[in-house]
């Protein structure tokens, strides 16, 4: 691997790892909120009124924060029926299908990124807050464009040959 490829590979892996750590922390926060709510309900008959709302927001954030690591490692859910059947009949088509998959990934990430930016800008301008707990939404909404942008960059780097798909 060249110096540039190594630099890009390590940078993307570290960025994806950082977001994965944030994802894990949000899962821990979900656990803490649920346990606190259950304990307060059981012993004090006063559950946390914002628990469901906060758990939903943290769950969404966790999903998007984990997505770049799944993209980096190539651990998305895959339907390999077509690819496996083509490997046996026409091995030369395998690379074309993989290339098509990468292009679909880039398109999807770009589309979601493009749609998420105005949505996030609207939330920032209006200082939107959640309904029950009045939690500011734009910090959580910023997770979507960051995640999709990084996933798109990972797909692009894979397309250009800067990173290889990790073996499972």
């Amino acid at each position: 691997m060249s110096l540039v490829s190594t630099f890009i590979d390590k940078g993307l892996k570290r960025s994806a790892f950082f977001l994965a750590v944030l994802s894990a922390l949000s899962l821990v926060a979900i656990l803490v909120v649920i346990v606190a709510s259950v304990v307060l309900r059981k012993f004090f008959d006063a559950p946390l009124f914002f628990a469901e709302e906060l758990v939903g927001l943290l769950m969404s954030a966790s999903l998007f924060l984990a997505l770049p690591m799944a993209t980096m490692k190539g651990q998305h859910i895959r339907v390999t029926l077509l690819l496996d059947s083509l490997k046996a009949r026409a091995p030369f088509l395998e690379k074309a299908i993989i290339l098509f998959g990468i292009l679909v990934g880039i398109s999807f990430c770009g589309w979601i990124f493009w749609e998420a930016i105005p949505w996030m800008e609207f939330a920032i301008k209006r200082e939107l807050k959640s309904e029950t707990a009045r939690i500011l939404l734009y910090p959580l909404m910023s997770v979507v464009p960051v995640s999709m942008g990084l996933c798109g960059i990972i797909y692009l780097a894979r397309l250009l040959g800067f990173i290889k798909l990790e073996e499972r």
Side-chain angles (χ1 to χ4, degrees):
M1 250 193 196
S2 72
L3 185 60
V4 173
S5 293
T6 304
F7 180 74
I8 291 172
D9 185 50
K10 283 186 179 182
L12 291 174
K13 282 181 180 174
R14 288 179 180 162
S15 299
F17 181 75
F18 175 70
L19 293 182
V21 167
L22 292 178
S23 175
L25 290 174
S26 82
L27 291 174
V28 169
I30 289 171
L31 181 69
V32 168
V33 168
I34 290 173
V35 168
S37 185
V38 167
V39 168
L40 288 171
R41 177 182 293 122
K42 177 73 175 166
F43 295 111
F44 302 105
D45 199 29
L48 296 174
F49 70 94
F50 57 86
E52 287 182 33
E53 190 173 61
L54 183 57
V55 165
L57 292 169
L58 288 171
M59 179 92 55
S60 298
S62 177
L63 173 110
F64 280 101
L65 288 167
L67 201 53
M69 183 59 85
T71 302
M72 191 71 186
K73 292 187 174 223
Q75 294 181 334
H76 294 290
I77 296 172
R78 296 175 184 221
V79 180
T80 59
L81 183 64
L82 178 64
L83 188 58
D84 290 344
S85 67
L86 283 176
K87 276 184 190 178
R89 294 186 186 130
F92 61 91
L93 286 178
E94 180 181 2
K95 288 189 180 191
I97 291 174
I98 290 170
L99 176 65
F100 178 71
I102 290 172
L103 292 174
V104 167
I106 290 171
S107 301
F108 178 76
C109 291
W111 173 49
I112 297 296
F113 180 84
W114 186 261
E115 292 290 329
I117 293 294
W119 181 59
M120 186 183 71
E121 287 174 345
F122 178 79
I124 291 169
K125 285 178 187 173
R126 302 275 192 259
E127 292 187 13
L128 293 181
K129 296 179 181 173
S130 65
E131 192 172 326
T132 306
R134 309 298 298 153
I135 300 167
L136 265 178
L137 291 177
Y138 66 83
L140 293 166
M141 293 169 98
S142 68
V143 168
V144 176
V146 167
S147 172
M148 289 292 101
L150 185 56
C151 287
I153 292 169
I154 290 168
Y155 278 125
L156 185 62
R158 187 165 292 135
L159 178 69
L160 297 175
F162 289 118
I163 59 173
K164 301 287 184 224
L165 185 62
E166 292 183 8
E167 297 297 322
R168 290 182 231 195

